[in-house]
């Protein structure tokens, strides 16, 4: 029965609390508010594109940390039931990043292999999205963990992607976006993984600043005035400090202090039209020979200094100079004219029918006296792993792809030390994308390399790829305290100092000769000494954090039952 006492004085009506207004683009989840899936996908795409702008040729390096923050916001609180969505968001971020970053690869391998490569790389980002999402409850209960957890998670993802599958592909690691940043000096202390950690740590701090600002905007009116804004400002300042702190590192403590050598880099250029395959290869060799003969004439007439060595790029002689007498005679003529050793890239046919991508030291009197064989050939471009399987799959997609795989040369993996010995001094033996790998670069230095030298063939790519590669050479010069150089068939060729400064960078698709005095070094930087240790520690910390996150999620689940 309803009480309807009309004589009683009416009680004052309580004002019902105003319903909380749900912020646009947010939705509720078991862990709290998070971005709607469409909003998260849009943010992932935008963040991936921002990451591209951090890399050469754009060089807007602060955007790498902003991209990390955006990605973290997109996947936050997608666990425990939405790990599939977190993987999808990460995959979308990866495709938005790698498709434009690696667009240069489509000019050589075609559209399908380019898409396959980008999708393969994006899988790593999908796993990273799952990792960060699984750690959401841990981050929400222990706010201080957000930034360091973000940092170690990115290092772990890059460690995996740099090794698997088929030997890995480190292109696109955060560290390689920082060649022109103050943070770059950190690579001297702990290598590329440590530099990536600092970039991701900065991104985590920016994300924490965004969360603090969001809580301030959504929080109750009686919250301490300005507390959220002060927190956001503090996190932003910490991110800036993380980026700038490496400037204080004593990079010059391991500056090169050995003898000075004069190095000439010959960029012979490649003819583009009107030649058959064999004519093209011969024209490339002729270009490098002629440029060296012109340099020799300048030396003889006093217009240039006689170099201590001349560096030709990878594939300067695609005609095997050990088996082809014409090529042998041409290179010998150039070496005799300049009267100094030529270090050149050439393709050599082995007795067992295989081929090797070689760096050859050509003495003016004795001819070829030293050879380095590329230790890490490019999968699907220089050799095909599981060739029968992938040829069959490629045939299902496009018969032309299968034919392309059948035509891949099948280069051998070199088993030699990663150095090139030229008289009394030693260069790194790095060829092309080997510069992207920590182990190959570090091993070259530990084996005695006194200069950071990289020969590369960018003829089938574009200037974006060449500039991204040159940034890696500059960073490796800082990492190991070595003056360096990159010699390219078409550009970009340049010299680098132990501080990462780039000089005499050539134009793309032009013929050029550049020359500089470089200082040898036998010193070891902290990064050279500690090797893989920082990466191992940071990856181990990521695994510990994931274990803690799983335990936190299980503990919460038990408390709800």
């Amino acid at each position: 029965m309803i009480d309807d006492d009309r004589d009683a004085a009416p009680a004052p009506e309580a004002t019902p609390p105003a319903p909380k207004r749900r912020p646009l683009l947010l939705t509720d989840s078991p862990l709290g508010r998070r971005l709607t899936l469409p909003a998260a996908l849009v943010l992932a795409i935008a963040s991936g594109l921002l990451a591209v702008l951090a890399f050469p040729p754009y060089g807007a390096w602060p955007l790498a940390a902003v991209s990390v923050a955006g990605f973290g916001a997109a996947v936050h609180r997608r666990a425990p039931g939405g790990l599939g969505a977190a993987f999808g968001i990460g995959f979308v971020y990866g495709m938005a990043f790698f498709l434009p970053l690696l667009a240069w690869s489509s000019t050589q391998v075609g559209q399908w292999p380019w898409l396959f490569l980008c999708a393969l790389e994006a899988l790593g980002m999908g796993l990273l999205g799952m990792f960060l999402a699984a750690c959401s409850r841990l981050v929400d209960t222990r706010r201080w963990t957000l930034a360091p957890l973000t940092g170690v998670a990115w290092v772990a993802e890059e460690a995996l992607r740099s090794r698997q599958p088929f030997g890995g592909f480190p292109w696109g690691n955060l560290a390689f976006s920082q060649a022109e940043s103050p943070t770059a000096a950190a690579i001297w202390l702990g290598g590329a993984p440590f530099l990536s950690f600092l970039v991701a740590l900065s991104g985590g701090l920016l994300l924490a600043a965004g969360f603090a600002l969001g809580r301030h905007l959504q929080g109750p009116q009686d919250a301490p005035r300005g507390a959220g804004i002060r927190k956001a400002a503090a996190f932003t300042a910490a991110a800036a400090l993380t980026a700038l702190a490496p400037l204080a590192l004593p990079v010059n403590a391991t500056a090169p202090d050995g003898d000075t050598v004069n190095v000439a880099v010959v960029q012979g250029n490649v003819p583009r039209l009107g030649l058959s395959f064999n004519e093209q290869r011969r024209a490339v060799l002729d270009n490098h020979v002629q440029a060296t003969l012109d340099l020799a004439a300048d030396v003889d007439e006093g217009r240039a200094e006689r170099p201590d060595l001349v560096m030709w790029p990878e594939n300067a002689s695609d005609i095997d100079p050990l088996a082809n007498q014409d090529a042998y005679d041409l290179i010998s003529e150039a070496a005799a004219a300049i009267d100094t050793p030529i270090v050149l890239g050439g393709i050599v046919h082995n007795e067992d029918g295989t081929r090797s991508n070689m760096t050859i030291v050509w003495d003016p009197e004795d001819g070829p006296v030293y050879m380095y064989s590329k230790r890490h050939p490019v999968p699907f471009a220089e050799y095909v792993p599981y060739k029968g399987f992938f040829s069959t799959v490629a045939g299902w997609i496009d018969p032309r792809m299968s034919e392309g795989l059948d035509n891949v040369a099948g280069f051998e993996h070199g088993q030699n030390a990663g150095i090139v010995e030229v008289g009394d001094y030693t260069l790194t033996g790095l060829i092309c994308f080997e510069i992207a790998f920590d182990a190959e670069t570090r091993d070259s230095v530990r084996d005695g390399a006194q200069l950071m030298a990289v020969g590369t063939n960018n003829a089938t790519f574009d200037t974006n790829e060449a500039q991204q590669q040159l940034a890696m050479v500059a960073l490796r010069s800082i990492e190991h305290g070595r003056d360096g150089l990159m010699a390219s068939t078409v550009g970009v060729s340049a010299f680098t100092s132990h501080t990462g400064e780039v000089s005499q960078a050539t134009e793309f698709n032009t013929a050029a000769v550049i020359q500089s005095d470089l200082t040898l070094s036998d010193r070891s930087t902290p990064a050279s000494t500690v090797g893989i240790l920082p990466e191992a520690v940071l990856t181990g910390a990521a695994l510990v954090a994931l274990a803690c996150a799983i335990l936190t999620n299980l503990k919460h689940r038990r408390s709800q039952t």
Side-chain angles (χ1 to χ4, degrees):
M1 182 176 180
I2 299 175
D3 184 5
D4 191 18
D5 187 355
R6 303 189 181 201
D7 295 331
E13 293 184 6
T15 303
K20 286 189 177 181
R21 189 176 180 182
R22 178 180 296 174
L24 188 66
L25 306 180
L26 294 181
T27 187
D28 292 325
S29 78
L31 295 179
R33 284 181 175 172
R34 69 187 182 198
L35 288 173
T36 63
L37 184 57
L41 291 171
V42 170
L43 181 58
I45 293 171
S47 299
L49 294 175
L50 283 180
V52 176
L53 298 178
F55 286 77
Y58 313 104
W61 57 266
L63 294 182
V66 177
S67 174
V68 169
F71 180 57
V75 299
H76 189 58
R77 292 177 176 168
R78 292 286 158 188
L83 288 180
F87 178 86
I89 293 168
F91 184 82
V92 167
Y93 170 92
M95 292 299 281
F97 173 46
F98 286 111
L99 281 172
L101 185 77
L102 304 179
W104 46 263
S105 68
S106 64
T107 61
Q108 181 191 35
V109 300
Q111 301 298 318
W112 282 111
W114 165 55
L115 293 172
F116 175 76
L117 173 61
C118 293
L120 204 59
E121 296 299 292
L123 290 176
M125 295 300 179
L127 294 175
L128 177 61
M130 293 178 67
F131 183 110
L132 294 174
C135 294
S136 296
R137 193 183 302 279
L138 176 65
V139 166
D140 285 340
T141 55
R142 297 171 178 82
R143 296 287 186 185
W144 63 269
T145 63
L146 175 58
L149 189 146
T150 301
V152 298
W154 277 84
V155 172
E157 184 275 332
E158 290 184 354
L160 175 63
R161 193 164 48 81
S162 297
R163 292 170 173 82
Q164 295 296 333
F166 314 122
F169 191 69
W171 217 283
N173 285 2
L174 290 175
F176 298 143
S177 68
Q178 301 296 299
E180 298 181 356
S181 77
T183 323
I187 201 171
W188 173 88
L189 185 62
F194 181 62
L195 177 54
S196 287
F197 168 74
L198 291 184
V199 177
L201 179 68
S202 296
L205 290 166
L206 291 178
L207 180 58
F211 284 161
L213 185 60
R215 286 192 296 272
H216 168 77
L217 296 176
Q218 300 172 34
Q221 297 298 318
D222 58 351
R225 187 174 182 180
I229 294 178
R230 287 194 294 272
K231 282 185 178 180
F235 283 127
T236 303
L241 181 62
T242 300
L244 296 174
L247 287 174
L249 291 171
V251 174
N252 283 324
T254 53
D257 63 347
D259 295 335
T260 298
V261 296
N262 186 273
V263 180
V265 173
V266 174
Q267 177 178 301
N269 204 15
V270 174
R272 296 282 171 173
L273 298 173
L275 297 178
S276 69
F277 179 69
N278 287 330
E279 290 172 330
Q280 175 95 1
R281 294 190 301 172
R282 176 57 188 266
V284 173
L285 175 58
D286 288 345
N287 286 354
H288 288 85
V289 168
Q290 187 58 53
T292 306
L293 294 176
D294 292 342
L295 174 62
D298 288 341
V299 170
D300 292 340
E301 296 176 15
R303 293 191 297 267
E305 180 182 352
R306 189 175 302 280
D308 295 303
L309 73 90
V310 174
M311 184 87 179
W312 292 1
E314 177 191 23
N315 299 131
S317 181
D318 262 359
I319 303 170
D320 185 349
L322 305 185
N324 185 287
Q325 190 63 45
D326 284 347
Y328 189 103
D329 292 342
L330 283 169
I331 299 169
S332 296
E333 178 188 1
I338 197 65
D339 194 25
T340 198
I342 297 176
V343 180
L344 65 108
I347 303 302
V348 173
H349 295 258
N350 304 313
E351 293 181 356
D352 60 359
T354 61
R355 290 192 280 179
S356 295
N357 192 349
M358 292 281 196
T359 296
I360 307 169
V361 179
W362 209 281
D363 185 80
E365 296 181 358
D366 300 325
V369 295
Y370 189 94
M371 290 191 292
Y372 163 82
S373 179
K374 189 174 185 180
R375 295 171 294 166
H376 200 139
V378 183
F380 301 102
E382 294 180 317
Y383 80 101
V384 180
Y386 311 109
K387 189 168 185 176
F389 170 77
F390 282 108
S391 293
T392 301
V393 173
W396 295 340
I397 300 172
D398 187 339
R400 291 171 297 179
M401 284 180 60
S402 181
E403 293 175 6
L405 291 180
D406 290 339
N407 292 329
V408 171
F411 288 118
E412 286 290 285
H413 290 67
Q415 303 299 319
N416 41 267
I419 55 174
V420 172
E421 295 181 354
V422 186
D424 296 330
Y425 40 90
T426 308
L427 318 179
T428 58
L430 302 168
I431 298 176
C432 197
F433 93 140
E434 286 185 316
I435 189 65
F437 291 88
D438 297 336
E440 275 79 352
T441 308
R442 182 174 60 247
D443 289 347
S444 293
V445 172
R446 287 181 168 181
D447 288 337
Q450 299 165 299
L451 289 178
M452 187 67 60
V454 180
T456 185
N457 179 11
N458 309 110
T460 51
F461 302 129
D462 60 23
T463 185
N464 289 11
E465 183 271 346
Q467 292 185 50
Q468 290 165 17
Q469 194 172 46
L470 179 58
M472 297 178 195
V473 180
L475 285 165
R476 298 303 189 187
S477 289
I478 303 171
E479 182 177 6
H480 298 291
R482 298 291 190 272
D483 286 350
L485 63 92
M486 185 166 99
S488 170
T489 47
V490 298
V492 176
S493 301
F495 296 106
T496 60
S497 74
H498 76 281
T499 61
E501 181 182 358
V502 175
S503 60
Q504 300 188 49
T506 62
E507 296 295 325
F508 193 77
N509 199 21
T510 60
V513 176
I514 56 177
Q515 194 167 353
S516 181
D517 290 328
L518 303 180
T519 304
L520 304 177
S521 179
D522 292 306
R523 292 181 164 188
S524 292
T525 65
S528 306
T529 302
V530 299
I532 198 176
L533 183 61
E535 182 185 43
V537 169
L538 293 169
T539 301
L543 297 177
V544 170
L546 180 60
C548 291
I550 293 172
L551 290 175
T552 300
N553 292 336
L554 290 175
K555 182 178 180 181
H556 176 79
R557 183 181 300 176
R558 292 194 193 100
S559 69
Q560 300 299 307
T561 58

